[in-house]
Amino acid sequence: MRIILAAAAVVVLAALPLLAPWLQFVLTLAIAKGFAALGVAVLLRAGLISIGHAMFFAASAYGVAFLARAGINDFGVLLILSVLSAALVGAIAGSFLVRYRAIFFAMLNLAVSMVFYALCAKLYGVTGGTDGMAVPIPGIFGMVVAEPVFKNILFYLSLALMVLVGLAVQRYLNSPLGHALSAVHTNEIRLEYLGIPVWAVLLIAYVISAALAGLGGAIAGFAIGRVVPDFAFWTASGHLVLVAVLGGIGGVPGAFLGALFLELLHSAAVTVTDAWNLIVGVALIAVIMFMPQGFYGLFSRKEASSL
């Protein structure tokens, strides 16, 4: 049943821009944030809340801009190298951050990300400061394409990556490493007694989480066409945590459900009133009160009740 629902959802998403072209940008941005929120959700499996994952989102987006400035103009190469750069930053930061738990982990992630934000905002000669850096339209397999064509390719590629990466992450979560990640939250000491290195389990999860955020950041950079320091600001990290919790951490689709809900709600609210924050806030309160396990938890309960 879940496979059928997931396939139907992907088909609907693929068809929506054909019916309403303006939705293409909104959906591309939602998928990008969904990848980053999925990275946050991976760490939430271990009971770790990162209020600094926008750093990896921004690192990858800036990576695209720097690589393009250096003369690399192939879309595939830019995407891969930018995600690897986010994973590298994640490996460096995670090597000491995963030693901490609870509020210490959350606040240290926030502190490191704000240092990164400050560097992006103040190094005018390198990053362009608050003006940011432009992300040019890259070539596709050596071919130069117009912006509308590239945005179409970017959307459908993002949709395909959502499926493929989502399946890979689900496989990881169902693997011994993924189960060990969940066990860290329930009984970390028992894992150590069994001879399982908790630090290594968490570091692997942290690097995967950073890479997912980096994938989202690269897609967002291509979609928007400019990278600014606000990509790394603490409110952006808080937004990713909200998306992950809103969608539900019970399964991979939750992150994308939460991102799609928030982006579509925001787009609809701004067309109705200037006080769009009020509409979004009321909707979020309703979801949190009546669906404490998020959107994915709602679908899981319906499926369980039908058995």
Side-chain angles (χ1 to χ4, degrees):
M1 186 63 179
R2 291 183 185 179
I3 297 177
I4 296 174
L5 286 174
V10 171
V11 172
V12 170
L13 287 176
L16 279 176
L18 301 177
L19 303 174
W22 64 271
L23 276 174
Q24 181 176 283
F25 173 76
V26 176
L27 294 176
T28 303
L29 202 57
I31 293 172
K33 292 181 179 179
F35 281 119
L38 181 57
V40 173
V42 167
L43 292 179
L44 284 173
R45 284 293 185 98
L48 300 176
I49 301 177
S50 172
I51 318 178
H53 250 54
M55 175 175 67
F56 308 117
F57 190 86
S60 182
Y62 272 105
V64 170
F66 280 121
L67 290 168
R69 180 188 288 180
I72 299 176
N73 193 43
D74 183 78
F75 173 65
V77 175
L78 287 171
L79 188 65
I80 292 171
L81 290 180
S82 61
V83 172
L84 289 176
S85 66
L88 178 61
V89 174
I92 296 170
S95 61
F96 69 91
L97 288 176
V98 297
R99 300 177 186 274
Y100 299 90
R101 302 290 182 271
I103 190 65
F104 303 103
F105 179 84
M107 297 309 295
L108 281 171
N109 272 274
L110 174 60
V112 173
S113 70
M114 289 307 293
V115 170
F116 182 82
Y117 164 78
L119 291 173
C120 293
K122 299 302 181 182
L123 296 178
Y124 292 95
V126 179
T127 65
T130 53
D131 292 333
M133 298 177 66
V135 178
I137 302 298
I140 307 292
F141 298 116
M143 297 183 296
V144 178
V145 296
E147 184 175 353
V149 176
F150 173 72
K151 294 300 173 67
N152 282 331
I153 294 173
L154 179 64
F155 169 67
Y156 287 107
L157 177 64
S158 301
L159 197 60
L161 285 174
M162 181 182 73
V163 176
L164 296 175
V165 174
L167 289 173
V169 173
Q170 189 64 56
R171 190 177 181 87
Y172 159 70
L173 293 176
N174 290 332
S175 70
L177 270 176
H179 290 302
L181 189 64
S182 299
V184 170
H185 183 42
T186 55
N187 200 325
E188 180 178 341
I189 296 176
R190 181 176 294 178
L191 279 181
E192 293 285 3
Y193 281 152
L194 292 173
I196 299 173
V198 172
W199 180 83
V201 170
L202 291 179
L203 181 59
I204 292 170
Y206 198 91
V207 173
I208 291 173
S209 178
L212 288 169
L215 178 57
I219 292 172
F222 283 124
I224 297 171
R226 178 164 288 275
V227 187
V228 293
D230 283 350
F231 275 33
F233 198 53
W234 70 268
T235 53
S237 295
H239 181 79
L240 296 179
V241 175
L242 175 62
V243 169
V245 174
L246 187 64
I249 63 172
V252 169
F256 297 102
L257 288 172
L260 288 167
F261 172 78
L262 271 185
E263 287 301 315
L264 291 173
L265 179 63
H266 175 261
S267 299
V270 295
T271 61
V272 176
T273 175
D274 291 335
W276 57 268
N277 277 322
L278 178 62
I279 297 176
V280 173
V282 171
L284 291 178
I285 291 172
V287 170
I288 292 170
M289 287 184 63
F290 297 105
M291 289 184 288
Q293 294 182 339
F295 288 109
Y296 186 79
L298 177 65
F299 288 116
S300 297
R301 286 200 302 270
K302 285 185 176 180
E303 183 174 313
S305 62
S306 64
L307 295 177

